[in-house]
Amino acid sequence: MIRTWILLLGTMAAASAAFAQAPAAPAKQAAPKAAAPKAPASKPEEFRDCDICPPMVVVLPGSFDMGSPASEKGRSSNEGPVHKVDIAYRYAVGKHEVTFAEWDACVADGGCRQYKARDHGLGRGNKPVIDVTWIHAKAYTIWLSGKTGKEYRLLSEAEWEYAARAGTKTPYWWGPAANHEYSNYGKDKCCGSEVRGRDQWEMTAPVGSFPPNAFGIHDMLGNVWEWVEDCWQETYDVTPRDGAPTKDGNCNVRVMRGGAWSSMPVKLRVAHHDAYPPDDRGEFIGFRIARSMN
Ligand SMILES: [Ca+2]
Ligand SMILES: [Ca+2]
């Protein structure tokens, strides 16, 4: 936990420095109607493989530009170069972050390394599970695969960004600026949580409290950070272009995506990524699962 805080404070300081160079955010963040995100053209296909299995949303094949352009405010060089990724297969993504109820069901069923994740007073039930390591997240997918006979796993970083963008190219899936109508996150400037507009939570919000993106997926940005499969690379120069996870580079850390309830807007951007040791955990860190569809 201490290490988590040190890491977070370090990255918060770096992000704060970057943010300090950016123009001040507007005092009111209500998105103009013209910038409101589009509703899905058709209802996304959803399924659930068992009563205690998380609801899943099917993502269709497609291509997208991964990363952020040099012109994006607050971005880091590790978000480039922008490169085209072709995902030629269908896959399923958790409609929500994995919840405490889902985690506790896994433990009760004999899985998840019998690790009773603590909620640190943030709440259980339909709140996202926290205090779980990358190793714990993998354990959940192993249990779920055994229970269902399906291939559950973590998302690759590319799959995560494709699903989070949902066809958009803006810094956030809903538009150019952070907005508490669409996400649970922190203050505009360092540090701490924020309550504004639809975002009425100091800490974690129940999953699905905010509108879904155009792929029908909730809370990709904010609420809790989400572990993905990949090892860390300092740039995207050598990373896979087909949706596969990065398996080389620095595997002493694993990638996390999407920012959390405590994050500043700069870390909430869809292209932002960070990495932490796979045995690290904290009140900001949860995960989302994927399922292969073959
Ligand atoms: Ca909040
Ligand atoms: Ca999230």
Side-chain angles (χ1 to χ4, degrees), residues 101-141:
E102 290 160 351
W103 181 269
D104 290 343
C106 173
V107 172
D109 197 47
C112 289
R113 303 165 72 95
Q114 292 299 283
Y115 172 67
K116 293 175 178 157
R118 295 175 299 162
D119 65 25
H120 296 272
L122 273 61
R124 302 181 85 85
N126 63 350
K127 294 284 189 79
V129 68
I130 55 171
D131 208 32
V132 284
T133 68
W134 182 84
I135 297 164
H136 290 134
K138 296 279 283 187
Y140 183 85
T141 65

Side-chain angles (χ1 to χ4, degrees), residues 150-162:
K150 309 291 186 184
E151 185 189 348
Y152 280 92
R153 55 183 176 77
L154 296 181
L155 290 156
S156 73
E157 189 169 15
E159 290 171 338
W160 189 97
E161 188 167 326
Y162 178 60

Side-chain angles (χ1 to χ4, degrees), residues 16-291:
S16 180
F19 193 86
Q21 296 168 8
K28 291 187 177 180
Q29 296 189 334
K33 285 187 177 177
K38 293 178 181 175
S42 59
K43 187 170 171 54
E45 180 185 343
E46 297 183 16
F47 67 86
R48 197 174 212 163
D49 281 327
C50 69
D51 287 347
I52 57 173
C53 294
M56 305 295 291
V57 175
V58 177
V59 172
L60 302 177
S63 300
F64 77 109
D65 292 332
M66 184 172 178
S68 63
S71 58
E72 186 166 309
K73 290 175 188 170
R75 61 97 70 174
S76 301
S77 59
N78 61 39
E79 297 168 22
V82 175
H83 57 285
K84 186 181 178 191
V85 173
D86 294 306
I87 298 179
Y89 53 88
R90 294 194 312 157
Y91 61 101
V93 179
K95 185 175 181 179
H96 308 123
E97 298 147 335
V98 171
T99 65
F100 261 107
E102 290 160 351
W103 181 269
D104 290 343
C106 173
V107 172
D109 197 47
C112 289
R113 303 165 72 95
Q114 292 299 283
Y115 172 67
K116 293 175 178 157
R118 295 175 299 162
D119 65 25
H120 296 272
L122 273 61
R124 302 181 85 85
N126 63 350
K127 294 284 189 79
V129 68
I130 55 171
D131 208 32
V132 284
T133 68
W134 182 84
I135 297 164
H136 290 134
K138 296 279 283 187
Y140 183 85
T141 65
I142 291 168
W143 166 77
L144 198 52
S145 297
K147 186 169 187 64
T148 61
K150 309 291 186 184
E151 185 189 348
Y152 280 92
R153 55 183 176 77
L154 296 181
L155 290 156
S156 73
E157 189 169 15
E159 290 171 338
W160 189 97
E161 188 167 326
Y162 178 60
R165 288 190 176 280
T168 64
K169 295 185 176 182
T170 44
Y172 308 87
W173 62 259
W174 54 78
N179 190 323
H180 286 274
E181 295 301 316
Y182 295 107
S183 178
N184 177 22
Y185 62 97
K187 295 187 184 307
D188 289 345
K189 295 184 179 179
C190 191
C191 303
S193 59
E194 175 78 314
V195 170
R196 194 189 309 175
R198 189 193 295 265
D199 176 2
Q200 289 296 305
W201 294 274
E202 289 277 356
M203 296 178 180
T204 52
V207 299
S209 295
F210 294 86
N213 68 14
F215 284 3
I217 307 167
H218 295 262
D219 304 316
M220 292 294 273
L221 305 185
N223 215 20
V224 290
W225 287 97
E226 300 173 17
W227 289 113
V228 295
E229 178 67 27
D230 301 51
C231 302
W232 178 256
Q233 286 277 10
E234 284 299 326
T235 77
Y236 287 132
D237 285 314
V238 295
T239 52
R241 268 43 175 170
D242 61 357
T246 301
K247 292 183 176 174
D248 51 11
N250 181 3
C251 294
N252 292 319
V253 292
R254 296 284 174 161
V255 174
M256 290 168 45
R257 282 292 197 142
W261 53 267
S262 54
S263 297
M264 292 182 297
V266 71
K267 297 172 88 73
L268 201 75
R269 293 174 304 105
V270 70
H272 178 79
H273 59 171
D274 216 330
Y276 293 86
D279 59 350
D280 214 347
R281 54 194 165 91
E283 295 98 327
F284 318 94
I285 307 173
F287 67 102
R288 184 184 304 266
I289 57 171
R291 207 202 89 182

